[in-house]
Amino acid sequence: MRIPGSTTTPAATFVQEVTGEATRRWGVRGTDLGCPVRLADGRVAFFFGDTFRSRGRSGRGWRSPVMLRSTTTDPRGGIEFDSAAGGRTAREILPNAHDDGESPHRESAGSEFTVVPADAVTIGDRTYLSVVSVHSWASQAWPTNFTYLAWSDDGGEHWHRTCARWDNRGGSLDQLWTMERHEGYVYVVSSAFDRTNPGGMILRRVPEARILEPGVYEDWGWDRGTGWAWGQPATPILPGPVGEMCLRRIEGTWVLAYFDPTAYAIVTRTAQHIDGLWSEPTVQVAGGGWGAADGTWAQIYGGYIHPASTLDGLHLLVSQWNTTTGDPYRVLQFTTRLDVPVTSRAPTPSTALPLRVPHHGNGTG
């Protein structure tokens, strides 16, 4: 299946459902997201969003985020989990108000409906998790209150909330993160956590040792006089709207997987340089209707890359939620391969999207 301007590579193949009965022993049945990161000891942590003991997105045991661990070294045979943060029952690893009041009202930040994970990165013995405080799923400009970083240095068993926080100032493009390390920096691609916001994605970087200092983050932007450069006001690198994202560097190639709500698909792009030109999108998992027999999958989102992925064996974690019945509400595993086109070093000014966006951070680590 193609979208305008997309390239053609083999579509992703379904492997298995990774949640539900397989995770029931930890009180995790209905859940979503499952963004994975390798821990310092080599295990892989998976961070899930709103989680329930029942199959659907309702019932007992509502908590978020929760974390499961896996020692699966070859995901081709399917991802299996071994333990949970919290022991016998996967517990809520960070504070969550679970307030559905939407106060003071839906279109301004205020109460916290839930807290969801965005992405994580491990630096040395410590894992940092980007977390979103959700005000209202139904809000246009204020779906989030803020984004912050938390850390764990014991394999994800205990988490510490930090003061490194980025407030939503109304459509801010620094609310939904994905992160990856390279040559002493952490690179962050982020968006507005709003699948209707056309603002797109921005790129920032920060030295690994200063990841908890919002004021140190450096934007990648375009200016008519100097072209693209670090340290200029952020310019979107890719257009929106956009959903969940996952940035990883695989075999020397930058890979970005994300949910494209316009195409109704999980797509991938590749680049040779993080501050270079991205390929056209390739559809990996196409959305469709419930009961369709055309190879599409209904009501999908997510698209997280397993850290054991290669270019010939890319493993994606895709969420599916029937918003009418509430069930299924689960995470699925797909596998695919990537054809990597040759791209230029950096976008030309004519490809820039000259949109300045608010994304100022506040707080210190």
Side-chain angles (χ1 to χ4, degrees), residues 66-312:
V66 303
M67 193 198 90
L68 300 180
R69 304 182 191 88
S70 172
T71 56
T72 300
T73 57
D74 185 354
R76 290 177 298 179
I79 298 165
E80 297 181 353
F81 300 104
D82 308 291
S83 63
R88 295 180 62 182
T89 300
R91 60 176 164 78
E92 194 167 76
I93 61 175
L94 287 164
N96 186 331
H98 295 289
D99 184 351
D100 59 2
E102 298 181 339
S103 299
H105 53 79
R106 195 173 75 184
E107 288 304 328
S108 64
S111 61
E112 182 176 82
F113 181 82
T114 191
V115 171
V116 296
D119 198 9
V121 64
T122 298
I123 304 173
D125 294 331
R126 181 165 290 180
T127 298
Y128 296 89
L129 176 64
S130 173
V131 185
V132 184
S133 169
V134 178
H135 166 57
S136 170
W137 296 118
S139 175
Q140 294 299 309
W142 298 98
T144 66
N145 296 303
F146 50 82
T147 285
Y148 69 90
L149 291 174
W151 61 265
S152 170
D153 56 10
D154 62 358
E157 192 61 31
H158 301 93
W159 289 87
H160 307 271
R161 179 171 173 170
T162 76
C163 295
R165 168 174 150 172
W166 290 258
D167 287 345
N168 181 10
R169 299 171 186 246
S172 300
L173 297 184
D174 57 3
Q175 294 298 287
L176 182 61
W177 289 29
T178 179
M179 307 178 283
E180 177 68 310
R181 299 171 57 203
H182 183 54
E183 295 183 342
Y185 283 93
V186 175
Y187 291 91
V188 179
V189 173
S190 62
S191 69
F193 196 85
D194 180 353
R195 295 175 187 166
T196 65
N197 188 315
M201 309 176 210
I202 59 172
L203 172 65
R204 292 168 290 154
R205 69 179 183 182
V206 64
E208 291 179 356
R210 307 186 71 180
I211 189 173
L212 295 181
E213 300 179 48
V216 179
Y217 283 64
E218 188 177 26
D219 296 337
W220 174 247
W222 183 76
D223 180 82
R224 289 186 181 276
T226 59
W228 287 95
W230 289 104
Q232 297 184 149
T235 303
I237 59 170
L238 290 170
V242 62
E244 297 78 16
M245 305 168 292
C246 187
L247 175 70
R248 296 295 183 262
R249 193 167 186 270
I250 303 173
E251 299 175 12
T253 296
W254 290 92
V255 179
L256 180 64
Y258 60 96
F259 175 61
D260 183 331
T262 302
Y264 190 18
I266 306 298
V267 305
T268 56
R269 293 180 187 253
T270 60
Q272 295 304 308
H273 306 277
I274 186 63
D275 52 5
L277 185 66
W278 288 91
S279 70
E280 293 299 324
T282 297
V283 171
Q284 299 296 350
V285 184
W290 291 102
D294 56 0
T296 60
W297 293 78
Q299 294 194 271
I300 53 172
Y301 55 102
Y304 300 101
I305 300 171
H306 191 282
S309 292
T310 65
L311 295 179
D312 284 334

Side-chain angles (χ1 to χ4, degrees), residues 35-54:
C35 47
V37 65
R38 194 172 297 282
L39 299 171
D41 62 7
R43 293 179 296 174
V44 177
F46 292 76
F47 299 93
F48 297 93
D50 292 314
T51 298
F52 302 86
R53 293 181 180 274
S54 57

Side-chain angles (χ1 to χ4, degrees), residues 5-74:
S6 70
T7 59
T8 55
T9 62
T13 301
F14 174 68
V15 177
Q16 66 171 8
E17 178 180 350
V18 300
T19 57
E21 291 305 309
T23 53
R24 183 178 182 175
R25 59 182 289 194
W26 295 288
V28 177
R29 295 188 74 191
T31 193
D32 70 349
L33 304 181
C35 47
V37 65
R38 194 172 297 282
L39 299 171
D41 62 7
R43 293 179 296 174
V44 177
F46 292 76
F47 299 93
F48 297 93
D50 292 314
T51 298
F52 302 86
R53 293 181 180 274
S54 57
R55 282 186 51 85
R57 197 183 184 279
S58 62
R60 297 179 298 113
W62 178 25
R63 59 218 192 273
S64 179
V66 303
M67 193 198 90
L68 300 180
R69 304 182 191 88
S70 172
T71 56
T72 300
T73 57
D74 185 354

